Amino acid sequence: MPNLVNDPSRKSWIAVPKNSDFPIQNIPFGVFLTKEDVITIGTRIGDYAIDMGALQQLGYFEGIELTDDMFMQDTLNDFISDGKKTWRLVRSRLSELFEESNPKLRDNKAHRDVVIFKISDIEMLLPVQIGDYTDFYSSKEHATNVGKMFRDPENALLPNWLHIPVGYHGRSSTIVPSGVPVHRPMGQTLPNGQSTPVFGPSQAIDFELETAFITTDANVMGENIPVNETEDYIFGMVLLNDWSARDMQKWEYVPLGPFLAKNFASSISPWIVTMDALEPFRTKGPNQEPTPLPYLQQKGKHAYDINLEVYIKPDNVEETLVSKSNFKYMYWSMSQQLAHHTSNGCRVNSGDMMGSGTISGPTEDSFGSMLELTWGGKNPIKMKDGSERKFINDNDTVIMKGYCQNSSIRIGFGEVSSKLLPTYVRK
């Protein structure tokens, strides 16, 4: 079924601009607010959002077992809970409905007028209620760079790193969709050469170029998921900017790791791109040496060729491209991350989010954070207006884009764009 939906020759009766991230072969899922202040679940083709709640009310999902209000909710959690069979049936129905030769909706103006919206006329919301958020640390290049800066350059990777997908539990309450600004956090830092910490605004705000995957209900407490079954429980992916306060992080991370330096904000792209849509872009990941323990061993193509870009846009200035990376560089795959996450019986639910960790490539221009790109602030990056950045300045907007492309099709995520505001002042 997904193969038919992914057919690169398929075209839609909705106009799709050249190099759009959202051709009819994508069919992502999201939640949006209409001009009439109605919250609905939807999909996107080209520059148009499609109200799936309205489609359901009009009977376009007839024959698919769905609760009556499945697409009239304010999150995708229940839909995701229905599992892969339902996801595929719905995606296939949408593809069929918007295929250029299908007149059913195309020729019904009254229905089109209540189903289809210009992207500029809607507001994208958080697509899922994220109950739990885990952030991994799975880029060998990133972990090595950070180890060189903060520890011993000769032993940059800690002994466990090549054996387990290292991760930590984040905070879901401050995950926001693209377009929502974030404030520079306050916190404790230890000034260079001092022995007593100070409290105040962080002076080293950074982005982390990541992706994240969204899970369905995967197991009961105490049950593990074998690595060769994990893909059945991954609904899709988003782009993730995991904001970081590097000066706070440096002071607080020993002995228990990230805390206030990370949990003040994480921004995600609003459209969840399904794993079925990404299927044509599977590729082999890096060679893993030493061989992982048996519960993490897998063969075949479990990485994805996703081009990633980061831009910084100062106020009233054209954005500057600062990084070009690729998801395929990740050492640990999503399957291995989920298998490890549940190996102790940890329960994973619908709508849980798993961050990849910063995605850095092998070259200096492919590093996934300002910490690496400027090497801790020693090598500032020049913006198009001539100003320099060691880290992110107030009123800078960080824009991340991601897309897959081969000779016949492009599938993308759109972008996650977030402006950094000054520290919040209580009135």
Side-chain angles (χ1 to χ4, degrees), residues 331-349:
Y331 187 87
W332 295 104
S333 71
M334 292 183 288
S335 295
Q336 289 173 318
Q337 289 172 338
L338 187 53
H340 183 66
H341 201 307
T342 63
S343 62
N344 68 342
C346 175
R347 183 175 175 180
V348 170
N349 298 313

Side-chain angles (χ1 to χ4, degrees), residues 81 132 134 136 169 213-223 225 233-234 337-354:
S81 285
D132 277 306
T134 298
F136 286 94
H169 292 288
F213 65 88
I214 309 297
T215 65
T216 185
D217 301 291
N219 59 342
V220 295
M221 186 173 171
E223 177 189 16
I225 305 173
Y233 302 100
I234 299 175
Q337 289 172 338
L338 187 53
H340 183 66
H341 201 307
T342 63
S343 62
N344 68 342
C346 175
R347 183 175 175 180
V348 170
N349 298 313
S350 172
D352 284 356
M353 189 176 98
M354 312 285 178

Side-chain angles (χ1 to χ4, degrees), residues 75-82 127-131 217 350-352:
T75 74
L76 283 160
N77 292 59
D78 282 357
F79 175 56
I80 294 172
S81 285
D82 263 15
V128 289
Q129 181 177 348
I130 302 168
D217 301 291
S350 172
D352 284 356

